[in-house]
Amino acid sequence: MRKGIYTVTVLLTLLLMSSFSEPTYKMAKLKYNGGGDWYGDRTALPNLAKFCNDNLKTNFQIQDETVEVGSAEIFNYPFVFMTGHGNVIFSDQEAKNLRAYLTGGGFLHICDNYGLDQFIRPQMKKVFPELDFVELPLNYPIYHQKYDFPNGLPKVHEHDGKRAQGFGLIYKGRLVCFYDYQCDLGNGWEDYGTYAGDSQETRLKALKMGANLIQYIFTNR
C-alpha cells in the first residue's frame, strides 16, 4: 500500500513540475520608428502561441513581447512579427542589427495590415541591398508543413480585390523573411469577434498557416 502511495506521489510531483516548467521560446512584435502602427494585431501572437503549443507541442510563452529593431534583445526570439498600416523607418544601425539577426538564424514575418507595402519594401532593401522579395511558389515547403495549403495563403480580409500573396527574402538558400500581402494573416490570428463578419473557419485557416510558419522555422534554421 505504501509503495502505491509513493508511486502516486512521485507521478503527481512530476506532473506539477511539468505544468510549471519555464517556456522554451517567446514570440515578439517588432517596434519600429516612422509613425506606423507597429502595435496592431494586439491578440494575434498570444493566440498563435497557444495554437502552436496545443497542436505542434511547442513550448511558447503565451504572452508576447515587444522588441525594437535596433535592440540586442531581438536575438532572444526565434520568431519576430511585424505589422502595421503606415510609415516605417529603419536607421542604418537598425538595418544592420536586423540583418545580423536574420543572417544569424532569426526569422521575420511581415504582415501587411493594408498600406504597409510602399513603406516596408524600401526599408527591407536597406537590410538586404542585394536581395529582392520573390513570390514563393505554391510548392514551397512553408505551405506544406503540418497543414497543407495547396493554393497558398488563405485570404483573411479583402481590400483591393487582389489575391493573397506570400513573398520571401532568401539569403544563401534560407528563407529569412516571409511577407504576406493582401492577406492579413495576423488579423486572422486575433480573438474571434474582433472583426465583424470573420468566420471561425477563416480564423482556423489563418492559425494553421501561422503554425506552418513556426514549424518551418524550427526545421530550417
Side-chain angles (χ1 to χ4, degrees):
M1 184 68 175
R2 286 185 177 178
K3 184 178 180 181
I5 294 173
Y6 174 78
T7 302
V8 170
T9 302
V10 170
L11 289 174
L12 286 173
T13 302
L14 290 173
L15 180 61
L16 286 170
M17 288 175 63
S18 64
S19 298
F20 293 102
S21 62
E22 288 293 320
T24 307
Y25 303 108
K26 300 175 183 179
M27 296 183 182
K29 185 176 293 180
L30 193 70
K31 181 179 180 181
Y32 52 85
N33 294 309
D37 52 337
W38 61 267
Y39 44 81
D41 292 347
R42 297 179 188 275
T43 61
L45 291 185
N47 287 333
L48 178 62
K50 185 178 186 306
F51 185 86
C52 290
N53 288 350
D54 291 344
N55 294 277
L56 299 182
K57 305 308 176 186
T58 52
N59 188 24
F60 279 106
Q61 171 181 290
I62 298 300
Q63 184 56 48
D64 63 330
E65 300 190 355
T66 298
V67 65
E68 297 187 5
V69 187
S71 170
E73 297 300 313
I74 197 171
F75 294 89
N76 294 331
Y77 306 98
F79 177 81
V80 173
F81 176 74
M82 177 182 184
T83 192
H85 299 80
N87 194 29
V88 180
I89 295 176
F90 294 160
S91 68
D92 290 345
Q93 182 274 330
E94 289 172 333
K96 182 179 179 181
N97 193 59
L98 185 56
R99 181 185 178 98
Y101 165 72
L102 295 174
T103 58
F107 189 91
L108 176 66
H109 172 205
I110 303 171
C111 178
D112 177 24
N113 210 354
Y114 193 55
L116 189 67
D117 189 70
Q118 63 177 311
F119 303 109
I120 192 56
R121 286 182 180 271
Q123 297 307 306
M124 291 306 296
K125 198 67 176 173
K126 286 184 182 179
V127 181
F128 288 103
E130 75 278 27
L131 300 182
D132 294 307
F133 278 111
V134 294
E135 184 170 4
L136 301 179
L138 296 182
N139 64 352
Y140 201 82
I142 210 163
Y143 298 123
H144 308 282
Q145 297 293 308
K146 179 178 176 67
Y147 304 104
D148 195 40
F149 286 86
N151 298 315
L153 285 173
K155 184 79 168 174
V156 177
H157 285 162
E158 292 288 345
H159 291 300
D160 299 322
K162 297 179 180 178
R163 65 185 178 89
Q165 292 177 275
F167 294 96
L169 290 176
I170 300 174
Y171 178 80
K172 295 185 177 180
R174 186 175 74 88
L175 181 68
V176 296
C177 175
F178 179 72
Y179 174 36
D180 75 76
Y181 176 65
Q182 292 288 327
C183 170
D184 263 354
L185 199 59
N187 278 188
W189 301 339
E190 291 213 72
D191 290 347
Y192 180 64
T194 300
Y195 304 98
D198 283 2
S199 67
Q200 286 281 26
E201 180 184 7
T202 299
R203 182 171 181 268
L204 181 59
K205 287 180 181 179
L207 287 167
K208 285 181 175 180
M209 185 62 225
N212 271 15
L213 284 171
I214 297 301
Q215 188 173 57
Y216 177 86
I217 292 166
F218 283 105
T219 55
N220 293 272
R221 296 188 76 186

